[in-house]
Amino acid sequence: QVQLVESGGGLVQAGGSLRLSCAASGRTISNFDMGWFRQAPGNEREFVATIGRSGASIYFADSVKGRFTISRDNAKNTVYLQMNSLKPEDTAVYYCAATAITGSYLKNNYPYWGQGTQVTVSS
């Protein structure tokens, strides 16, 4: 089992930046691909970004490409999501997730989830 705890959410104005962190415990994240997903009220949970075990394979949803970056520090057992040029439509609860499947953007392929952190972008 791996436990995930997100932090770094908050309220920010449009155009601003936030950095989310996901701290893992229980197992080393070097054995997992790590992903970020988000869920806005009334919407399905959607894929944001994923990063492979070594950090070499990275994929983004089209909606965040060019504005968000994902990184990982396996020594610290932590994954990050740097969010720049934030828009009101980025408002959601952001979840960190882990999977043994390589390169997946499907939430059903991720068995391990954090509790989420709220990001609110005001216009």
Side-chain angles (χ1 to χ4, degrees), residues 21-95:
S21 298
C22 171
S25 61
R27 292 180 65 182
T28 173
I29 64 168
S30 60
N31 294 325
F32 298 95
D33 278 27
M34 301 297 295
W36 285 97
F37 292 77
R38 66 187 182 186
Q39 188 167 16
N43 289 359
E44 295 275 334
R45 191 170 300 188
E46 65 176 10
F47 168 75
V48 174
T50 186
I51 184 168
R53 287 155 175 78
S54 68
S57 298
I58 292 176
Y59 302 97
F60 293 101
D62 287 343
S63 58
V64 306
K65 204 171 292 182
R67 300 187 298 121
F68 290 12
T69 59
I70 186 172
S71 61
R72 63 192 295 161
D73 186 335
N74 288 342
K76 294 184 178 179
N77 234 24
T78 302
V79 180
Y80 305 97
L81 184 70
Q82 177 67 44
M83 306 185 295
N84 299 327
S85 302
L86 282 161
K87 305 175 181 180
E89 51 264 43
D90 294 317
T91 295
V93 177
Y94 283 71
Y95 297 90

